[in-house]
């Protein structure tokens, strides 16, 4: 595959991530913030997010496993996860957190547990998608190309 | 930059002539700290981050173990932007402490939150917050922020 084909593939893949709702415009913000002084900005922020989300998902699993569930605590974890997912544009994770908070408010344990599974799934999905995207970026750069600018291609 | 934006005599001025404004960004979320830092740096600001209220107060020279005088070693901060929801000291409580300080009360404080709660917003504005911003922040939010604080005419 030549660099041109790799770049086109990257564009198509990125578009699909937006269209399928995995990412929203906040992710574009991150991409636009990346520059020569900070060429790995997106990867760095996204990595921080997944470290954070893994920790929070473990905390949530533990909290929902307790004989008497502390919903205030559960809600505070979900609030944090909703915030950071929103900040990187991980839209489906964010939306799953919004639903989760509703069940916290209702103090519905089963509902919360279902939501936790949902959030875990969405987190894993977007993680895989982004890993694929970043791999494509590495290949483009290794082949001497540059990562396309979504703004420039009018997306 | 127009010379007209030089700090006026009546306020500390968000932008000292020719210097990069120094912003203190306070947020318990590491992801958000990284994001706000980059947003501000891209707008030519010098940035210090703090992960909670007490740490922010230390940076400002108002820490528990510091005397309430302007420490010569404490870098002058031109603006503070803080998250509202933080464990321990909230952004609101931090705002109050800053406004209670005779040295720092003139420094503009901006509150950020992921939740659009009118009573929360009003409470902060009444306590002296310059602006309230909804998260997640983007580049145009930061532009708007700088504009407002420098009394831009757009």
């Amino acid at each position: 595959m030549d660099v041109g084909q790799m770049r086109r593939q990257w564009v198509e893949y990125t578009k699909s991530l937006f269209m399928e709702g995995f990412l929203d415009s906040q992710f574009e913000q991150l991409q636009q913030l990346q520059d020569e002084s900070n060429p790995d900005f997106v990867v760095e922020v996204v990595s921080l997010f997944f470290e954070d989300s893994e920790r929070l998902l473990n905390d949530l699993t533990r909290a929902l496993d307790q004989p008497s569930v502390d919903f205030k605590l559960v809600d505070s974890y979900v609030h944090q996860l909703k915030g950071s997912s929103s900040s990187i544009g991980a839209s489906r994770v964010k939306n799953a957190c919004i639903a989760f908070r509703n069940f916290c408010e209702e103090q519905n344990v089963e509902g919360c547990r279902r939501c936790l599974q949902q959030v875990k799934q969405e987190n894993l999905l977007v993680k895989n998608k982004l890993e694929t995207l970043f791999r494509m970026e590495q290949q483009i750069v290794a082949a001497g190309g540059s990562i396309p600018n979504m703004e420039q291609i009018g997306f | 930059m127009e010379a007209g934006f030089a700090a006026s005599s009546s306020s500390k001025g968000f932008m000292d002539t020719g210097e990069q404004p120094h912003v203190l960004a306070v947020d318990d979320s590491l992801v958000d700290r990284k994001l706000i830092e980059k947003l501000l740096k891209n707008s030519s600001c010098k940035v210090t981050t703090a992960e909670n209220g007490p740490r922010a107060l230390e940076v400002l020279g108002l820490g528990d173990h510091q005397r309430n005088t302007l420490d010569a070693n404490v870098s002058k901060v031109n603006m503070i932007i803080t998250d509202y929801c933080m464990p321990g000291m909230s952004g609101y409580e931090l705002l109050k402490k800053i406004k209670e300080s005779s040295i720092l009360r003139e420094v503009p404080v901006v509150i950020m939150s992921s939740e659009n709660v009118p009573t929360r917003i009003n409470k902060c504005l009444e306590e002296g917050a310059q602006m309230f911003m909804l998260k997640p922040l983007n580049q145009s939010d930061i532009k708007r922020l700088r504009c407002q604080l420098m009394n831009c005419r757009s």
Side-chain angles (χ1 to χ4, degrees):
Chain A
M1 215 188 291
D2 67 20
V3 173
Q5 282 174 296
M6 286 186 206
R7 282 165 55 92
R8 274 191 298 279
Q9 190 191 55
W10 182 94
V11 169
E12 285 316 303
Y13 193 67
T14 302
K15 277 188 186 170
S16 74
L17 295 183
F18 282 95
M19 298 213 284
E20 289 163 28
F22 286 104
L23 300 174
D24 64 28
S25 59
Q26 185 63 17
F27 187 79
E28 272 182 280
Q29 272 299 301
L30 295 188
Q31 289 174 312
Q32 282 162 33
L33 284 172
Q34 186 158 288
D35 55 25
E36 310 81 51
S37 70
N38 235 149
D40 298 314
F41 179 71
V42 181
V43 172
E44 284 169 10
V45 179
V46 167
S47 303
L48 286 175
F49 169 73
F50 286 115
E51 279 171 31
D52 224 26
S53 68
E54 203 177 291
R55 177 182 54 87
L56 286 166
L57 290 170
N58 286 336
D59 289 340
L60 279 163
T61 307
R62 208 168 25 248
L64 285 171
D65 248 347
Q66 300 304 310
S68 171
V69 173
D70 181 347
F71 286 102
K72 221 173 142 210
L73 184 62
V74 171
D75 184 71
S76 79
Y77 291 143
V78 181
H79 170 82
Q80 285 176 62
L81 187 54
K82 175 180 154 254
S84 52
S85 59
S86 166
S87 290
I88 68 155
S91 180
R92 278 159 66 147
V93 176
K94 178 191 78 174
N95 290 336
C97 288
I98 291 171
F100 198 154
R101 291 192 85 190
N102 290 333
F103 285 108
C104 287
E105 214 172 314
E106 291 171 21
Q107 307 214 344
N108 181 336
V109 176
E110 273 321 301
C112 281
R113 288 188 181 137
R114 274 198 305 274
C115 279
L116 177 58
Q117 287 320 306
Q118 185 73 13
V119 176
K120 280 182 174 173
Q121 192 179 323
E122 292 299 345
N123 185 68
L124 188 58
L125 279 171
V126 76
K127 189 171 184 205
N128 290 340
K129 297 282 182 184
L130 287 172
E131 277 170 3
T132 302
L133 187 69
F134 295 147
R135 225 174 7 252
M136 285 185 192
E137 288 178 6
Q138 281 173 340
Q139 286 167 352
I140 291 169
V141 171
S146 64
I147 299 158
N149 184 324
M150 291 306 277
E151 250 188 336
Q152 279 174 353
I153 48 188
F155 184 64
Chain B
M1 268 302 136
E2 295 291 310
F5 286 132
S8 67
S9 54
S10 58
S11 70
K12 277 194 180 164
F14 177 59
M15 178 91 157
D16 287 316
T17 36
E19 281 173 25
Q20 287 185 319
H22 182 188
V23 182
L24 170 62
V26 191
D27 200 315
D28 59 309
S29 159
L30 183 48
V31 168
D32 286 351
R33 278 202 303 281
K34 195 157 167 90
L35 178 60
I36 186 99
E37 183 182 39
K38 191 70 167 98
L39 283 168
L40 289 166
K41 280 185 172 167
N42 274 24
S43 282
S44 310
C45 294
K46 179 178 166 211
V47 186
T48 300
T49 59
E51 58 183 350
N52 56 46
R55 180 73 197 112
L57 290 172
E58 266 174 38
V59 170
L60 294 167
L62 291 180
D64 266 346
H65 306 294
Q66 293 162 313
R67 287 191 299 153
N68 195 15
T69 53
L70 192 59
D71 188 332
N73 290 327
V74 169
S75 191
K76 183 179 152 192
V77 165
N78 303 114
M79 186 185 85
I80 298 148
I81 179 163
T82 177
D83 192 21
Y84 181 90
C85 283
M86 294 190 291
M89 189 187 292
S90 72
Y92 175 70
E93 284 156 359
L94 175 60
L95 166 68
K96 281 212 294 193
K97 286 225 150 50
I98 291 163
K99 292 303 171 188
E100 278 161 18
S101 154
S102 49
I103 305 156
L104 290 168
R105 70 161 62 103
E106 295 300 314
V107 179
V109 181
V110 174
I111 309 277
M112 318 176 261
S113 177
S114 56
E115 291 166 325
N116 192 349
V117 181
T119 47
R120 177 183 295 182
I121 298 171
N122 288 333
K123 188 173 77 164
C124 290
L125 295 175
E126 270 164 30
E127 196 60 40
Q130 190 86 21
M131 269 177 99
F132 186 97
M133 305 196 85
L134 215 49
K135 284 171 144 186
L137 296 191
N138 58 36
Q139 201 72 68
S140 64
D141 288 324
I142 301 298
K143 285 202 177 108
R144 189 163 49 97
L145 180 73
R146 288 201 68 169
C147 226
Q148 225 216 45
L149 289 168
M150 293 192 317
N151 296 313
C152 252
R153 285 192 182 80
S154 55

